[in-house]
Amino acid sequence: MLTLKFGGTSMGNARRILDSTEIMVGRASSDRISVIVSAVAGVSNALQAAIDNAVAGNSSAAAIDGIRRTHREICEELRSTLGGFDSERVMNEIEPNFKELGRLLDGVTTFGECPKSIHCRIMGMGELCCVPIVNAVLIAKKQSVVVLDSRKFIFTTGDQKEGDPDYARTAAALSPYRDGAEPNQARVLLFPGFVSAWSKNSGGETAMGLLGRNGSDFSASIVAAALGSKKCEFWTDVDGIYTADPRVVQDAILVDDMTYEEAMELSFFGSKVLHPKTLAPLAAKGIEAWSLNSQNPAARGTRIGRGPFESEKNAGPVRGISCLKKTSLISVSGSGMKGKTGIASRIFAAVSRAGISMLLITQSSSEYTISFCVKQSQSAKARDALNQEFALEIRDGLLNKIAVEEDTAIVSIIGDNMKMNCGVAGKFLDSLSSRGINIRAIAQGSSERSISVVVGGEFGDTAVRSAHLFFFNTAQPIEVFAFGAGTIGGALIEQIRDQHEKLLAQNVDIKVCAISTLEGMIIDANGIDLSGDWREAVRKSGKTTNLDEIIEFVKSTKPLNPVFVDCTASYDLPERYLDILRAGMSIATPNKRANSMSMEFYKKLRTVANESHRRFLYETNVGAGLPIIDTLQNLFKSGDTLTGFNGIMSGSLSYIFGKLDEGKKFSEAVKEAKELRYTEPDPRDDLKGTDVARKALIIARESGMSIELDDIKMNSIFPADFDIGGTVDEFMARLPEVDAYFDAKMAELRKEGKVLRMGASIRDGKVSVGMLEVGTDDPLYGVKGGENAFVFETARYTPIPLTVRGYGAGAGVTAAGVFGDIMRTVSFNPTK
Ligand code: ADP
Ligand code: ASP
Ligand code: MG
C-alpha cells in the first residue's frame, strides 16, 4: 500500500486533474494505493469568504454559483478531453452539496453567526465535491476504485475544526482495507482530505469535523498510518521542500532529504508546504514521506525520513528557514515576578485553560519578563485570561498590565546539525541586524534544532531572505535605483551591465531596478534589461521622474539591499536623502551638495543612516575616483589626526596654473582650458574657487572639524581692482588685464625656485582657498596638466605627508568610484 495526497494545486483545473490521475494510475500499476484529495484550488478559500460574507448578513447566492461554475467547467472540459468521463453523473452527484451549502449559508446569514458544526459542514464541501470528479476520471481510466468517506473513517476528538486523530478507532475502521485483509480488494482507495468523523469524546456519536486549514496533508498521514503504507507521497506544485518558501526567496535551494524532526519543525514554524501535524503519525511508524511535484513528476522530490542521510553530510547546519505570520507577542512582566515561584506555571495554566497553545516562549534571565507568542486570532482571549488570572497582582502593582504586541512574525532557522555548530545563532542575528530588523524576542528549541526570533510582521519576508543569504551563500543582491543618467550616471549603468556576470561569479547579483531621468522613469523589481537601448526605454516610459514612487516601491517590495544612486547635479534632491535612508535605501553619490549643506544636516544624515542601518557613501565627492574619503576614514578610525592639508582639487585650475610654469600668459591659459572644455562654460565658476571650497569643507568635516561653508576664507586670485563681472565674453575679453599681475608674481617666485598653484589649505583649524606658492620640495610642485593632488599631514604621516594624486575628474573614473561605493554595501562575505 502506498498513500498519495494531491493538494488543491494539483486539482487546480481539468488539465491538472488529468496529470494527477495519471500519476495515480502509474503508481496503481505496481502497488495498491490510497489517494487523498483536497478541494479544487481556491474553493476552500471561497467557502471561507462565503461564511464571512454570510456572518456579515449578506446573501451567498453569488458565491455558491461561483463554486458550482468552477466544478461544472472542470467537468465540461474533462468530458470533452477524456472519453468515458461521465460528466452528468458527477454533476448530479455533487449538486446536492450546493443545495445544502445554500441552506447552511442562508442559516448563517439569518443568524449572523456560524457555529463550529456548521462551519465544518460548509468548509468540508470543497473536498466532498472534488472526490466524485477524481473518481469519475479514474473510472474512465479503467481503475478499480472504492471511495471511502473520511466522515466515516477518520475519527477525531478535541476541537471540531482542528481535530486530534483517534488513531485506534481509525485503524479499526480501515482494517478491512489493509493489504490482504479481504479478498478482491480494490487497487485504489479514494478519500476526501480535510474532513473527519468528529466526536466530543472518544468512541462517541460523530458529526462532521475538520483537520484544520491545509489539513489534507494530515488526512494522508493518518490514512497511511492506519493502512500501514510503505510510503506517503505529498504531491504539490513545487519540486519538493526548499530551504525557504520559493515564493519568498527566489533562489531557495531544493533539499534532497530531511529528517522527520526537521520537517516537523519547519512546518510548525509556518512553512506551508506541509500541515504541521502531518509528520507525527508517519514518524511514529517510520513511514517515509516524499514531497513531489505533480507538474513535474520526473523530479526526484524531497524525502523525509529517519536519517541520517548521505546528502546531509556536506550540508551546512541550517536546513530550512520559515516564517510564521499573524502571531502576537504577549508579555507578562513586573517587579513582583522576581524570584517568585509559580508565576510561570500560572501563566501557562491560564493560557492553556483558555484553549490556546503557545507557539514559543522566552523568559528574561532576571525573571522579570515572560513572553510568548500565540496566533493573532487568539491574542485577545489570551490577554483576557491573563488579566483575570493576575487581577490582584496587577491591582497591587506587582505585575504590569499584560502587554500585547499584535502582528508579529516568528522567523525560524531549522536544522538537526545546528547543535554541533557554534556561531549559528550569532550569524542569524547578524543577518537580521544587517537589515535593520529589530528583534522582539529570541527562543531556542530545547532540542537545539531550531532558533526562532520574533520580529514585526512587516519584516518577516525580509528576515527570511536575509537569513537565507547568510546561511546558504546565495548571491548577495544589490538593487540600484539610479537617479540621473548623464555622463556619470550613464557610464555607471554601463559599467554595472558589463560587470554583472563577473560579479555574479563572485556571488554578488547587482541589478538596476530603476532609472529616472528628466526624460522618463522605468522601474522593474527584477532588474531592467540593460542589454538593449535602455535610454530609449526611459524616454518611451511615459512616466515622469518621481522620487516618491521609488520610495513607495522600495517600501512595498522590500528589496534586500537597495542603493539609491544620485548622479544628478540637483540642488534639491539631497534634501530628501533622509527620506530615502528612512525608506531603507543606502545612498551612493558624487553629488557634493548634501555634505556641503549645514553642519546640522551633515550630522543628521549620518544619524539617520545609522538608525536605518543603511550606508551613506560619497567617495567621489572629492577627487572623483581617487581614494580620498575612504582613506581618511580609515586613518581617523585608527586614531590618526589631521595636522595640515594642501590640495589641488580641480582639474581645470591644475591645468591653468601648470601652464603658467611654461611661461604662458594667464589669459591664454584660461582661454585654452576653456576651449578644451576643461573649465565650466563660465570659467569664473572654477576661478572663484567655490567648488574647491566645497571639497575642502568635506575634507575638513571628515577630519572632525565642525565647520560651515561660510567659515572658509576665500582668497581671490585676482587683484582687488580687477572687475570680474559681466558676461562670459566680456570677462574673457577683459582677462588680459591681469596678465601683467601674474607675470610679475611668477617672475618673483621663479627667483625663489617656486611655482604658483591654486587650491585649498587646512591649517590651525582654518580652511582657506586661494593661491599657493609652492617650492620644489613640495608634493604639489609637479602637479599640473589637469592632475589633482591631496597632501595630508597627519600625526602619523610626518614629516613626509600622505599624498594621493591622479586624475580627479572624468565620467569613467567617477562612475567607477560610485560603483566602488555601491560595492561597499555588500558588507560581508558569507561562507557555508
Ligand atoms: P497544496 O495545495 O498542494 O497543499 P500548498 O499551497 O498548501 O499546496 O503548499 C505548497 C506551497 O508551499 C508551495 O507552492 C510553496 O509556495 C509553499 N512553501 C512554503 N514553504 C516552502 C518550502 N520550504 N518548500 C517548498 N514549498 C514551500
Ligand atoms: N482544502 C483545505 C484547505 O484549503 C485542506 C487542504 O487543502 O489541505 O485548507
Ligand atoms: Mg497544503
Side-chain angles (χ1 to χ4, degrees), residues 724-798:
I724 60 165
T727 64
V728 179
D729 289 340
E730 284 163 2
F731 169 74
M732 290 302 287
R734 216 180 300 123
L735 205 51
E737 290 172 22
V738 297
D739 286 346
Y741 169 79
F742 281 102
D743 283 347
K745 230 179 170 47
M746 287 302 291
E748 197 118 322
L749 288 174
R750 216 166 274 131
K751 276 190 233 152
E752 299 170 41
K754 289 184 173 174
V755 292
L756 198 59
R757 298 283 175 258
M758 180 178 170
S761 289
I762 304 177
R763 218 156 291 279
D764 305 326
K766 294 208 166 57
V767 184
S768 58
V769 172
M771 285 191 287
L772 307 165
E773 298 174 359
V774 167
T776 44
D777 54 350
D778 193 304
L780 297 185
Y781 186 84
V783 177
K784 51 184 177 175
E787 202 187 357
N788 280 16
F790 300 76
V791 182
F792 299 104
E793 297 151 34
T794 75
R796 288 186 193 136
Y797 282 96
T798 186

Side-chain angles (χ1 to χ4, degrees), residues 433-476:
S433 69
S434 77
R435 299 295 157 216
I437 300 172
N438 194 9
I439 297 167
R440 308 289 160 69
I442 308 173
Q444 177 168 32
S446 56
S447 60
E448 291 186 47
R449 187 170 286 120
S450 66
I451 300 172
S452 301
V453 299
V454 182
V455 301
E458 73 269 37
F459 298 114
D461 288 346
T462 310
V464 170
R465 286 198 212 115
S466 185
H468 195 271
L469 193 63
F470 272 55
F471 284 107
F472 296 101
N473 200 14
T474 45
Q476 301 179 67

Side-chain angles (χ1 to χ4, degrees), residues 5-9 38 213-217 235-236 272-275:
K5 179 259 169 177
F6 290 84
T9 44
S38 292
R213 284 309 305 267
N214 244 329
S216 297
D217 297 328
W235 292 88
T236 179
K272 198 194 164 201
V273 68
L274 286 176
H275 179 281

Side-chain angles (χ1 to χ4, degrees), residues 140-464:
K141 289 183 184 251
K142 311 271 182 291
Q143 301 297 302
S144 76
V145 193
V146 171
V147 173
L148 297 178
D149 187 341
S150 306
R151 292 173 296 176
K152 297 196 180 91
F153 289 94
I154 298 182
F155 291 92
T156 58
T157 58
D159 187 340
Q160 191 167 3
K161 284 160 76 173
E162 276 179 57
D164 300 316
D166 182 336
Y167 289 108
R169 201 174 172 191
T170 304
L174 285 176
S175 66
Y177 300 95
R178 288 178 71 104
D179 282 347
E182 308 259 346
N184 306 323
Q185 289 172 308
R187 287 195 74 75
V188 183
L189 310 176
L190 181 60
F191 297 82
F194 193 33
V195 299
S196 73
W198 173 83
S199 59
K200 196 156 189 199
N201 302 306
S202 179
E205 187 82 6
T206 65
M208 182 162 161
L210 300 175
L211 291 166
R213 284 309 305 267
N214 244 329
S216 297
D217 297 328
F218 196 20
S219 308
S221 63
I222 297 167
V223 167
L227 292 174
S229 297
K230 60 176 180 186
K231 234 197 245 180
C232 189
E233 299 179 342
F234 296 89
W235 292 88
T236 179
D237 61 346
V238 283
D239 279 353
I241 300 185
Y242 286 81
T243 45
D245 186 342
R247 277 183 250 191
V248 175
V249 179
Q250 276 174 1
D251 48 5
I253 301 160
L254 188 62
V255 178
D256 282 339
D257 306 284
M258 257 190 187
T259 63
Y260 291 121
E261 291 77 12
E262 287 172 328
M264 264 188 238
E265 210 86 347
L266 206 58
S267 54
F268 177 78
F269 282 120
S271 229
K272 198 194 164 201
V273 68
L274 286 176
H275 179 281
K277 294 183 190 165
T278 308
L279 290 160
L282 300 178
K285 301 226 156 168
I287 301 169
E288 229 171 51
W290 283 80
S291 173
L292 297 155
N293 188 352
S294 61
Q295 292 301 292
N296 182 20
R300 174 190 182 268
T302 300
R303 168 175 54 179
I304 304 164
R306 278 216 177 108
F309 298 106
E310 193 61 28
S311 66
E312 272 187 322
K313 279 200 183 133
N314 299 322
V318 175
R319 306 291 279 155
I321 302 172
S322 65
C323 176
L324 185 58
K325 292 186 179 157
K326 294 208 176 89
T327 64
S328 300
L329 180 67
I330 302 186
S331 299
V332 185
S333 65
S335 55
M337 285 186 56
K338 199 161 169 62
K340 271 237 165 137
T341 51
I343 298 249
S345 66
R346 278 173 66 197
I347 294 173
F348 300 147
V351 174
S352 138
R353 269 200 307 280
I356 296 164
S357 64
M358 296 181 175
L359 302 165
L360 154 163
I361 303 162
T362 69
Q363 178 180 29
S364 68
S365 57
S366 64
E367 287 188 39
Y368 193 71
T369 309
I370 291 180
S371 303
F372 59 91
C373 278
V374 298
K375 281 189 201 160
Q376 186 157 348
S377 58
Q378 297 181 319
S379 73
K381 211 166 154 196
R383 184 197 51 215
D384 294 348
L386 290 168
N387 275 327
Q388 204 174 351
E389 172 70 29
F390 293 106
L392 294 179
E393 285 84 350
I394 293 170
R395 187 199 63 191
D396 296 341
L398 293 170
L399 288 189
N400 304 324
K401 272 194 102 169
I402 308 301
V404 181
E405 188 174 340
E406 299 289 5
D407 190 22
T408 55
I410 303 175
V411 178
S412 310
I413 54 171
I414 287 136
D416 282 349
N417 294 337
M418 286 188 349
K419 51 180 168 285
M420 266 94 84
N421 272 269
C422 56
V424 174
K427 198 174 192 180
F428 186 27
L429 301 185
D430 275 354
S431 74
L432 304 184
S433 69
S434 77
R435 299 295 157 216
I437 300 172
N438 194 9
I439 297 167
R440 308 289 160 69
I442 308 173
Q444 177 168 32
S446 56
S447 60
E448 291 186 47
R449 187 170 286 120
S450 66
I451 300 172
S452 301
V453 299
V454 182
V455 301
E458 73 269 37
F459 298 114
D461 288 346
T462 310
V464 170

